[in-house]
Amino acid sequence: MSDHDLTRRGVELRHEDRHEEAVRALRKAVAAGEPDAPKELAYALMGSARPREAVKVLKRAIKAGRADLYGLLGSVAAECGQARIAEKAYRDAIEKGDVEALNDYAVFLQDEERFEEAREVLQRSADLGDILAPGNLVVLYSEDLDDPATAAEVGERYLGPGNPGVYAALAATYARLGRLGEAESLFRQAIELHAPRIHQRYARFLWRYRENLKAAEEEFWEGFDQDEEGWSSALGEFLLSQGRVDEARAVLERGLAWGDLAARHLLDDLNRR
């Protein structure tokens, strides 16, 4: 048996939506010392709605010497509301030289409404060449700081094929400024560049600015087909807005099984109705 066999089997089970079996297989993989097992076990626990157990798994692995997992610990802890643990993990990851953790830390700071700190971290991340940070910087100015004019300036400065996320962020900013034709063009370019979550973002534009519900729904489902992060909560929110509660519930439950904690919040709200 190789150093990855149990882990590989756990991942296969997870892809088949057999999350509890995946968790059992991956626990054995962790015990066997397979290198990718702690990360995959954390993902499986997230998918079975046990994020706090995922935090414990990652903390144990880090204590055993896996400093490469600090960034993931930060993301998982942030998603389940353990802000203190998340912030320390992100800072430890950055201190250990994990440049990608800068962008994730900035997103965490945005969620905590610490916008000036987030701006500084995103600028540093963008200066170091992170491909996600420039787009997130545009979003920060446009949505969090309510300064679409500055957001447009920043987006135009970073616009280029090497930063695909900027196209979608700048398109959304142009939409806020009433420049809908330019926004549409940028969204289409972003699709060609496979920008992160682009089908969800374009769907929201079609929904809110073009009021084309049919086209918006097609784009939300395309996000599902492309397995975009957060597809279920985005589609679920849309379906709920249309009063299609049973369809929304099915979508959100599937997303929750894959670790979309935003889907959990929507389901909780739905269950309280």
Side-chain angles (χ1 to χ4, degrees), residues 172-212:
T173 299
Y174 281 170
R176 286 196 65 190
L177 293 168
R179 299 161 62 177
L180 300 187
E182 293 170 273
E184 183 98 37
S185 176
L186 282 174
F187 274 122
R188 293 189 180 279
Q189 291 178 68
I191 290 171
E192 293 296 320
L193 292 169
H194 306 288
R197 301 191 185 194
I198 180 53
H199 293 288
Q200 299 170 49
R201 291 176 171 181
Y202 186 37
R204 288 193 177 93
F205 170 77
L206 293 169
W207 174 16
R208 293 167 180 169
Y209 290 93
R210 297 300 196 194
E211 298 183 353
N212 188 335

Side-chain angles (χ1 to χ4, degrees), residues 3-62:
D3 288 342
H4 301 276
D5 284 351
L6 288 168
T7 303
R8 189 177 298 114
R9 178 55 181 156
V11 172
E12 289 171 356
L13 289 166
R14 185 167 162 257
H15 287 169
E16 295 169 7
D17 286 346
R18 296 159 63 183
H19 291 277
E20 290 304 323
E21 293 174 80
V23 166
R24 290 194 291 272
L26 290 165
R27 288 195 192 281
K28 292 178 182 177
V30 170
E34 293 188 6
D36 292 337
K39 174 182 70 176
E40 296 298 340
L41 176 56
Y43 288 143
L45 287 166
M46 294 284 286
S48 58
R50 285 181 278 173
R52 291 182 181 272
E53 285 188 51
V55 168
K56 291 178 182 177
V57 165
L58 293 170
K59 289 175 76 173
R60 284 196 296 268
I62 290 169

Side-chain angles (χ1 to χ4, degrees), residues 17-230:
D17 286 346
R18 296 159 63 183
H19 291 277
E20 290 304 323
E21 293 174 80
V23 166
R24 290 194 291 272
L26 290 165
R27 288 195 192 281
K28 292 178 182 177
V30 170
E34 293 188 6
D36 292 337
K39 174 182 70 176
E40 296 298 340
L41 176 56
Y43 288 143
L45 287 166
M46 294 284 286
S48 58
R50 285 181 278 173
R52 291 182 181 272
E53 285 188 51
V55 168
K56 291 178 182 177
V57 165
L58 293 170
K59 289 175 76 173
R60 284 196 296 268
I62 290 169
K63 189 175 181 179
R66 292 294 301 275
D68 59 302
L69 296 175
Y70 273 120
L72 180 57
L73 173 60
S75 297
V76 172
E79 286 201 32
C80 61
Q82 297 184 345
R84 183 183 59 79
I85 293 173
E87 179 155 13
K88 184 178 185 306
Y90 282 132
R91 288 182 174 275
D92 286 339
I94 294 165
E95 185 180 330
K96 300 288 184 184
D98 184 353
V99 176
E100 292 183 3
L102 278 167
N103 177 76
D104 295 339
Y105 180 42
V107 172
F108 164 79
L109 291 170
Q110 284 176 267
D111 290 340
E112 294 290 300
E113 299 186 357
R114 295 158 59 181
F115 299 132
E116 184 55 32
E117 292 173 83
R119 186 194 64 77
E120 292 175 0
V121 175
L122 281 172
Q123 188 64 66
R124 178 182 169 195
S125 182
D127 291 345
L128 289 171
D130 186 281
I131 64 171
L132 296 177
N136 288 335
L137 190 59
V138 175
V139 172
L140 174 72
Y141 275 110
S142 181
E143 298 181 8
D144 296 321
L145 299 177
D146 195 24
D147 186 356
T150 300
E153 293 175 7
V154 171
E156 289 160 4
R157 185 166 73 245
Y158 283 105
L159 190 66
N163 293 317
V166 172
Y167 286 78
L170 183 57
T173 299
Y174 281 170
R176 286 196 65 190
L177 293 168
R179 299 161 62 177
L180 300 187
E182 293 170 273
E184 183 98 37
S185 176
L186 282 174
F187 274 122
R188 293 189 180 279
Q189 291 178 68
I191 290 171
E192 293 296 320
L193 292 169
H194 306 288
R197 301 191 185 194
I198 180 53
H199 293 288
Q200 299 170 49
R201 291 176 171 181
Y202 186 37
R204 288 193 177 93
F205 170 77
L206 293 169
W207 174 16
R208 293 167 180 169
Y209 290 93
R210 297 300 196 194
E211 298 183 353
N212 188 335
L213 300 181
K214 182 176 182 294
E217 183 169 351
E218 288 174 356
E219 286 298 321
F220 278 123
W221 279 111
E222 186 63 25
F224 162 72
D225 290 339
Q226 299 296 326
D227 195 25
E228 291 182 353
E229 182 180 353

